[in-house]
Amino acid sequence: MNKNICNECGTENEQDYKYCKNCGTPLFEKEESKASPKSDFQSNDYIKAQRFGNKYFLYDCVEEFDGVPREDVALFVGRKEYEILPKFCKMEVSDSKVSWCWPASVLGLFLGPIGAALWFFYRKMYKPAVILSIVGTVIIILTSFFTATANPEIFDKAADSFKNGDYIGALTTLEEFLESDNTETPASKFADFIESITGLGTSIICGLYGYYIYKKHCIKKINAFKSSVKDSRYYNLGLISLGGVSGGMLFVGIIILITVSEIPLVMSLLYSFLK
């Protein structure tokens, strides 16, 4: 009896096997591939299945997400769809809202809510990105009230120099403050604790639900586009343009992060001017 040889690991499989019994790679008979050529999407899917192995069991089983064909979602996701769609499939099969999102989790852990917002900006999910940016800004403003009281004499000196027109002296004083290691006070330590807790909470929440939010975003945008598109010939091109990623919005998120990170310094100077 002829055997189907797995192209990935070389294991012999029975003819009626659709997947390799050793590594899970999809098996295609030569006769089938000759008789019915595969579409570009199917061929691309097969190549990726060969590369990424067992996780494509689920990828191959799920044909649609909430009524939207898998092919449409793949076009909309664009870059990294071979990594993201299996997570969508897993959530669909298990009826779960959880699938760990490493990019949002890591950014949230080290950079807080605004850091996690970078991934959402990059994936064109502007509503959650703006919400995270606002939350991060509010947290930084609140903690700035604590850091504004750390080493007030330094800021008093900088404020006095600024009032007297000695701008270089004010900047020099601030540089010394930023480079010094003796800036820890109980208030500033408490502010650091709040920021750490916020970063950890953001990392866990965005890590657990980041891909679920993205999945819902894809379905909503595709359905809205499908109902509004007038010429079906441009449907696929429209999905690619509407979805994908945005390096420009990622840059906007980075600018927001850099700008907001300077709030504690500004708040400290205002505290010295107004007290």
Side-chain angles (χ1 to χ4, degrees), residues 130-142:
V130 170
I131 292 174
L132 285 168
S133 297
I134 293 174
V135 170
T137 301
V138 170
I139 293 296
I140 289 178
I141 290 175
L142 291 177

Side-chain angles (χ1 to χ4, degrees), residues 55-167:
K55 68 181 180 180
Y56 274 83
F57 274 124
L58 289 175
Y59 186 94
D60 188 58
C61 292
V62 178
E63 296 295 333
E64 60 181 33
F65 305 101
D66 296 336
V68 176
R70 183 183 66 191
E71 292 86 348
D72 292 0
V73 178
L75 287 173
F76 185 90
V77 171
R79 184 173 297 180
K80 300 289 185 180
E81 58 92 4
Y82 55 84
E83 293 182 1
I84 295 176
L85 256 66
K87 295 181 180 294
F88 287 2
C89 294
K90 183 178 180 181
M91 287 187 285
E92 192 79 12
V93 170
S94 61
D95 193 23
S96 172
K97 298 180 180 180
V98 175
S99 183
W100 194 258
C101 179
W102 280 110
S105 175
V106 172
L107 288 169
L109 179 63
F110 290 102
L111 300 176
I114 302 179
L118 295 178
W119 182 74
F120 289 90
F121 274 123
Y122 184 61
R123 280 288 165 184
K124 298 184 179 181
M125 291 180 281
Y126 302 132
K127 184 176 180 179
V130 170
I131 292 174
L132 285 168
S133 297
I134 293 174
V135 170
T137 301
V138 170
I139 293 296
I140 289 178
I141 290 175
L142 291 177
T143 55
S144 294
F145 286 106
F146 297 102
T147 57
T149 60
N151 292 330
E153 65 280 356
I154 295 179
F155 291 100
D156 290 343
K157 181 180 177 181
D160 291 339
S161 299
F162 190 85
K163 290 176 182 178
N164 294 329
D166 185 9
Y167 305 121

